[in-house]
């Protein structure tokens, strides 16, 4: 796969062409990692929906879809729980699920942009592949650790994701400067 860029070094004098090649294995790693992150985000979103239903936090009309789950009113204030402990547990699970999704939205989109952007100009293909796989692994570790209430595992997963996305950016910038 090749992209040809045209740059004018001086107005109206000559055009310099640069060929950008994409390593097929790096492309495969980027696509596989993107797919893993897509599935992970879909899982997180579906989990959040499940916990919204359990906590009574869906729109009121959704009670027709989930009659066994009781009243739904966006906030869960109208739902009657068997015990105060059950209410606290259901709302805590919802809060945890919402925070997982929020953290994903803070990190995954820019991480994917960095993965795909640096793919076209990476300095080191091996570093790109390692960091791409590391980013996906870090984000999955973060989610699993958050759901299972594991610390420092959650922080390690977050740290892996942030570190690898920064390394991807550095790898891409160096490669772009050397084009």
């Amino acid at each position: 796969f090749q992209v040809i860029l045209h740059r004018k070094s001086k107005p109206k004098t000559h055009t310099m062409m640069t060929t950008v090649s994409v390593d097929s294995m790096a492309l495969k790693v980027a696509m596989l990692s993107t797919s893993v992150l897509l599935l992970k985000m879909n899982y997180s979103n579906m989990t959040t929906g499940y916990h919204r239903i359990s906590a009574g936090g869906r729109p009121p009309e959704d009670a027709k879809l989930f009659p066994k789950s009781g009243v739904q009113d966006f906030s869960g204030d109208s739902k009657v729980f068997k015990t105060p402990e059950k209410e606290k547990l259901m709302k805590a699970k919802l809060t945890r699920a919402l925070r997982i999704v929020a953290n994903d939205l803070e990190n995954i989109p820019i991480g994917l942009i960095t993965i795909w952007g640096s793919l076209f100009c990476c300095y080191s293909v091996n570093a790109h592949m390692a960091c791409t796989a590391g980013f996906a692994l870090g984000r999955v570790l973060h989610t699993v650790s958050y759901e299972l209430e594991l610390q420092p595992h959650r922080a390690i997963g977050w740290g892996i994701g942030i570190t690898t996305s920064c390394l991807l950016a550095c790898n891409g910038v160096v490669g772009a400067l050397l084009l």
Side-chain angles (χ1 to χ4, degrees), residues 121-140:
C121 56
C122 59
Y123 176 73
S124 167
V125 172
N126 289 332
H128 186 273
M129 291 188 295
C131 289
T132 297
F135 180 76
L137 177 71
R139 293 308 307 167
V140 169

Side-chain angles (χ1 to χ4, degrees), residues 39-157:
L39 293 173
K40 191 219 84 56
M41 286 187 76
N42 285 340
Y43 169 80
S44 295
N45 290 333
M46 291 170 57
T47 300
T48 300
Y50 171 78
H51 289 303
R52 279 190 194 277
I53 294 165
S54 300
R58 297 282 302 179
E61 63 272 15
D62 286 4
K64 293 175 186 171
L65 293 173
F66 313 105
K68 293 181 182 177
S69 296
V71 178
Q72 303 289 316
D73 69 354
F74 289 110
S75 65
D77 293 337
S78 300
K79 184 167 180 167
V80 178
F81 293 89
K82 293 181 181 179
T83 65
E85 293 79 21
K86 180 76 169 177
E87 178 179 8
K88 185 176 178 180
L89 176 66
M90 292 296 106
K91 290 190 176 184
K93 286 183 177 185
L94 174 57
T95 299
R96 185 170 292 280
L98 288 169
R99 288 186 179 186
I100 289 169
V101 170
N103 195 278
D104 283 350
L105 291 174
E106 293 167 2
N107 292 280
I108 291 177
I110 194 67
L112 287 172
I113 290 168
T114 307
I115 286 168
W116 286 97
S118 64
L119 177 64
F120 293 102
C121 56
C122 59
Y123 176 73
S124 167
V125 172
N126 289 332
H128 186 273
M129 291 188 295
C131 289
T132 297
F135 180 76
L137 177 71
R139 293 308 307 167
V140 169
L141 177 62
H142 175 268
T143 296
V144 170
S145 299
Y146 212 141
E147 283 186 355
L148 298 177
E149 303 177 29
L150 300 175
Q151 198 59 278
H153 306 80
R154 186 178 89 216
I156 291 168

